């Protein structure tokens, strides 16, 4: 199960305009009972399970990460893994948790142009480039953790990232329908699309980065010649 400290009881699809993303707390992945105060033994068990899962990814790829395999690698019962992570998707999301938090911290409070201090267009350009590189590095794991078509757009981490893009668009092109525009831009950064372009079409990530820069320039240009 996913939860976010910043989210209200009835989640909204996008952050409200008067609530800038920079003022929101970092999204937390995992279960509520895991955060913030696990018992010491429970924390050790969770860390051992994640270490076992990470070894399986390194040795066999994300396809080798099953609840049964993790339980065997960590020498625990399968029920322990299910109680801790809920299902395989929850386990894979927990593996992505560290990089997700680091990425959020970078665009919420890191140095510009990804973090505050640059223009919204510069930040949008840097956001896409950073997310492309991160997805390329973790592509197999991100694809394995994909929540599926029914939850792809309501998935908490992706809604959080889309909310950040929406905020930057509101600053750069306030007259646009920024929520729909953000949904379109995030489609360019979808792990499945990146997999198809890099693996299926053989495109280098550098080409995708240049394409993102071009897309941002065209979307945010308000002068008639554009």
């Amino acid at each position: 199960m996913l939860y976010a400290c910043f989210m209200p009881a009835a989640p909204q699809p996008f952050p409200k305009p008067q609530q800038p993303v920079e003022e929101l707390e970092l999204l937390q992945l995992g279960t509520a009972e895991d955060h913030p105060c696990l018992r010491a033994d429970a924390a050790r068990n969770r860390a051992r399970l994640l270490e076992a899962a990470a070894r399986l990814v390194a040795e066999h790829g994300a396809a080798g990460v099953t609840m049964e395999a993790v339980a065997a690698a960590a020498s625990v019962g399968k029920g322990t893994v299910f109680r801790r992570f809920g299902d395989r998707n929850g386990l894979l999301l927990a593996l992505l948790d560290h990089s997700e938090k680091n990425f959020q911290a970078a665009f919420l409070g890191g140095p510009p142009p990804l973090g505050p201090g640059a223009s919204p267009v510069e930040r949008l350009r840097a956001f896409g480039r950073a997310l492309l590189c991160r997805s390329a590095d973790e592509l197999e794991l991100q694809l394995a953790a994909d929540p599926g078509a029914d939850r792809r757009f309501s998935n908490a981490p992706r809604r959080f990232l889309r909310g950040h893009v929406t905020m930057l668009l509101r600053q750069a092109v306030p007259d646009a329908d920024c929520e729909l525009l953000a949904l379109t831009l995030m489609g360019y950064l979808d792990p499945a699309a990146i997999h198809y372009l890099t693996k299926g079409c053989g495109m280098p990530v550098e080409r995708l980065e240049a394409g993102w820069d071009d897309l941002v320039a065209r979307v945010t240009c308000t002068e008639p010649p554009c």
Side-chain angles (χ1 to χ4, degrees), residues 4 10 22 24 39 45 60 68 84 96-97 100 127 133 155 163 167 175 177 182-183 187-188 208-209 216:
E22 273 80 0
L24 303 175
R39 296 193 326 270
N45 288 338
H60 307 290
E68 294 82 0
R84 178 55 56 200
L96 288 168
D97 181 70
E100 181 70 32
F127 173 87
C133 289
N155 175 268
M167 182 204 70
D175 294 334
D177 188 334
L183 190 66
Y188 186 97
L208 300 188
E209 291 174 339
V216 169

Side-chain angles (χ1 to χ4, degrees), residues 96-121:
L96 288 168
D97 181 70
H98 181 68
S99 65
E100 181 70 32
K101 289 178 181 176
N102 285 343
F103 184 63
Q104 290 172 15
F107 70 71
L108 290 178
L114 183 57
S119 73
V121 174

Side-chain angles (χ1 to χ4, degrees), residues 3-220:
Y3 79 101
C5 296
F6 68 87
M7 292 173 63
Q12 301 297 318
F14 298 96
K16 296 179 180 179
Q18 66 268 28
Q19 187 183 30
V21 173
E22 273 80 0
E23 296 179 1
L24 303 175
E25 294 184 43
L26 289 185
L27 178 72
Q28 303 293 333
L29 305 181
T31 62
E33 68 177 5
D34 287 340
H35 180 79
C37 298
L38 277 177
R39 296 193 326 270
D41 58 340
R44 284 193 296 270
N45 288 338
R46 185 176 189 274
R48 187 171 65 168
L49 291 170
L50 289 175
E51 288 172 4
R55 287 198 306 272
L56 289 172
V57 171
E59 295 170 3
H60 307 290
V65 180
T66 65
M67 305 300 264
E68 294 82 0
V70 171
S75 300
V76 300
K78 185 171 67 173
T80 300
V81 188
F82 277 98
R83 283 193 298 273
R84 178 55 56 200
F85 300 106
D87 56 19
R88 181 173 182 270
N89 185 256
L91 173 61
L92 295 172
L93 285 172
L95 283 173
L96 288 168
D97 181 70
H98 181 68
S99 65
E100 181 70 32
K101 289 178 181 176
N102 285 343
F103 184 63
Q104 290 172 15
F107 70 71
L108 290 178
L114 183 57
S119 73
V121 174
E122 290 175 313
R123 295 191 66 194
L124 191 58
R125 188 181 300 117
F127 173 87
R129 282 177 162 266
L131 190 53
L132 280 168
C133 289
R134 179 193 166 207
S135 294
D137 289 341
E138 303 173 339
L139 193 53
E140 186 179 356
L141 191 55
Q142 289 203 15
L143 288 173
D146 191 300
D150 59 331
R151 290 190 295 148
R152 180 166 294 166
F153 300 108
S154 61
N155 175 268
R158 295 188 187 182
R159 284 196 299 113
F160 189 83
L161 299 180
R162 191 172 71 234
H164 178 68
V165 171
T166 303
M167 182 204 70
L168 295 177
L169 287 170
R170 287 194 180 114
Q171 296 173 359
V173 281
D175 294 334
D177 188 334
C178 295
E179 293 184 352
L180 289 179
L181 198 54
L183 190 66
T184 302
L185 289 179
M186 287 300 295
Y188 186 97
L189 304 173
D190 185 83
I194 296 171
H195 178 267
Y196 169 73
L197 293 172
T198 57
K199 307 300 183 183
C201 301
M203 293 186 188
V205 175
E206 291 77 13
R207 181 177 175 184
L208 300 188
E209 291 174 339
W212 172 260
D213 289 349
D214 180 62
L215 181 59
V216 169
R218 293 174 186 274
V219 164
T220 58

